[in-house]
Amino acid sequence: MAESVEEVPDVGAKAKKTVKVMTWTPPMSACMMRCLAGIAAKGVKTDKGFKEIHITQAAKALTKLVGYEVTTTQVTNHLRKWKIRYQRIEKLRVLSGALWDDDKKMILLDEQHYLGHTQDTPKDAEFLNTPLVNFEYMEACFADKLATGKFAMGSNEPLGKPVEVECPENTIDLEGQDTSGEGFVGGQANFQSGVQGVGTTTPSPPSSSNKKRKRTSVLCEEDKIQVNNMSDALRHVAVAINNTCHTETHPDLYQAVMDLTGCDMDQKLAVLDYLTEHKGQGLNFVKMEAEVRQAAFKRIIAKNPDLV
């Protein structure tokens, strides 16, 4: 807590003011983060962070809470510490083998992985396998989830001009074309148009009419074949990506399944495939006691009769 003491040694001498360093408590930090998160939720935060007026609002809320003046400098410095904390959390969330509990706001690591990681970086222990304090407020304040308008264009800026190609028999109207991109990924796109890129700098002449002017452009047959071939190739790539799954499992999962008694090999292999696909359940399976693991095995078989 900040305290100020005025000392007046002699008449006519200037007052000497001593200010002690303020100690931030968890309720004070929560008050500051909650206030700024509410401001960020309104969409008024800029790309560079909060404006001075927003910092002032947080300082006033803290002053009201603690009963003495909190400056904007103190709020700015403390906010910088929370931003660094959020950046560390985001790096830990993408660790290999890490799971995220969105209900409890926790980064989960299995015991072996946790011990190995914290032995190398002991400072990360406070962020792992424990609920993260004020995480929702940090995410609202620091995560880049709001539109910044960085790539916005004015309504009068030219986007390009049609390319004239000599294939009149294939001329089409671009007004009704789907621009969502779904047809392209699905391999159903049939592009018959060519538009010059945004690089053009020639402004379009002003129009005296408000009526929308249609733009038409075409591709020759050879160009259409090449574009459709690209569409097929991208569709195959998309399918391959969708069929890819993360198969990293606990190193002891195989032995934990194979050590079970009273189960035939087909059942063991089926459950092993199931736990490999469901990584979270596989980690819990390894941590179970022998009797509990046996019961969990039977439960998986019962709930998934199609496995065997």
Side-chain angles (χ1 to χ4, degrees), residues 66-84:
V66 299
Y68 57 84
E69 184 180 1
V70 178
T71 66
T72 56
T73 301
Q74 290 170 323
V75 173
T76 301
N77 292 339
H78 195 58
L79 181 64
R80 186 180 298 112
K81 293 180 180 180
W82 278 95
K83 184 175 182 179
I84 295 174

Side-chain angles (χ1 to χ4, degrees), residues 57-282:
Q57 292 179 24
K60 290 181 178 179
L62 282 165
T63 299
K64 185 177 180 181
L65 174 68
V66 299
Y68 57 84
E69 184 180 1
V70 178
T71 66
T72 56
T73 301
Q74 290 170 323
V75 173
T76 301
N77 292 339
H78 195 58
L79 181 64
R80 186 180 298 112
K81 293 180 180 180
W82 278 95
K83 184 175 182 179
I84 295 174
R85 182 183 183 90
Y86 177 76
Q87 291 171 345
R88 289 180 62 187
I89 290 173
E90 287 300 295
K91 291 181 180 180
L92 292 175
R93 287 181 62 179
V94 297
L95 279 177
S96 176
L99 299 175
W100 173 250
D101 188 332
D102 195 52
D103 295 329
K104 298 181 180 179
K105 307 303 178 186
M106 294 174 56
I107 303 173
L108 302 176
L109 286 180
D110 61 83
E111 184 176 0
Q112 183 178 1
H113 194 175
Y114 173 82
L115 293 176
H117 182 83
T118 54
Q119 185 176 2
D120 296 333
T121 53
K123 292 183 178 181
D124 289 343
E126 62 176 307
F127 303 107
L128 301 173
N129 292 353
T130 185
L132 299 171
V133 179
N134 296 330
F135 178 81
E136 293 181 346
Y137 298 150
M138 286 189 285
E139 192 173 35
C141 292
F142 308 125
D144 298 327
K145 292 186 176 180
L146 300 179
T148 62
K150 182 177 180 181
F151 301 104
M153 297 183 66
S155 59
N156 295 326
E157 298 181 32
L159 297 178
K161 62 181 182 179
V163 179
E164 301 296 336
V165 183
E166 301 239 346
C167 293
E169 68 278 5
N170 291 328
T171 302
I172 61 172
D173 182 7
L174 293 181
E175 291 295 322
Q177 294 300 307
D178 178 20
T179 58
S180 64
E182 296 179 357
F184 184 80
V185 176
Q188 301 172 354
N190 186 15
F191 292 100
Q192 297 183 357
S193 60
V195 179
Q196 186 171 339
V198 185
T200 178
T201 57
T202 304
S204 58
S207 174
S208 59
S209 173
N210 293 330
K211 184 178 179 181
K212 183 184 289 185
R213 184 180 62 183
K214 293 184 178 180
R215 294 182 178 182
T216 59
S217 56
V218 293
L219 284 177
C220 294
E221 191 66 29
E222 182 178 353
D223 294 331
K224 289 191 294 181
I225 294 175
Q226 292 181 359
V227 173
N228 287 330
N229 288 340
M230 291 175 59
S231 156
D232 293 337
L234 286 177
R235 185 180 71 253
H236 292 312
V237 171
V239 172
I241 293 175
N242 290 333
N243 291 335
T244 302
C245 61
H246 190 62
T247 57
E248 181 182 354
T249 60
H250 194 285
D252 298 331
L253 178 61
Y254 174 82
Q255 198 61 40
V257 174
M258 292 303 163
D259 288 344
L260 294 172
T261 59
C263 310
D264 58 42
M265 184 57 66
D266 289 340
Q267 289 179 329
K268 291 181 180 180
L269 294 176
V271 171
L272 180 61
D273 290 341
Y274 175 84
L275 294 176
T276 300
E277 183 177 353
H278 300 78
K279 183 177 177 182
Q281 297 185 36

Side-chain angles (χ1 to χ4, degrees), residues 12-49:
K14 293 184 179 179
K16 183 179 179 182
K17 192 174 183 180
T18 305
V19 180
K20 295 183 178 181
V21 178
M22 183 176 70
T23 300
W24 285 86
T25 62
M28 294 168 61
S29 297
C31 176
M32 181 195 73
M33 295 300 297
R34 180 170 58 252
C35 178
L36 294 175
I39 293 173
K42 298 177 181 178
V44 296
K45 187 184 71 170
T46 66
D47 294 344
K48 296 182 179 180

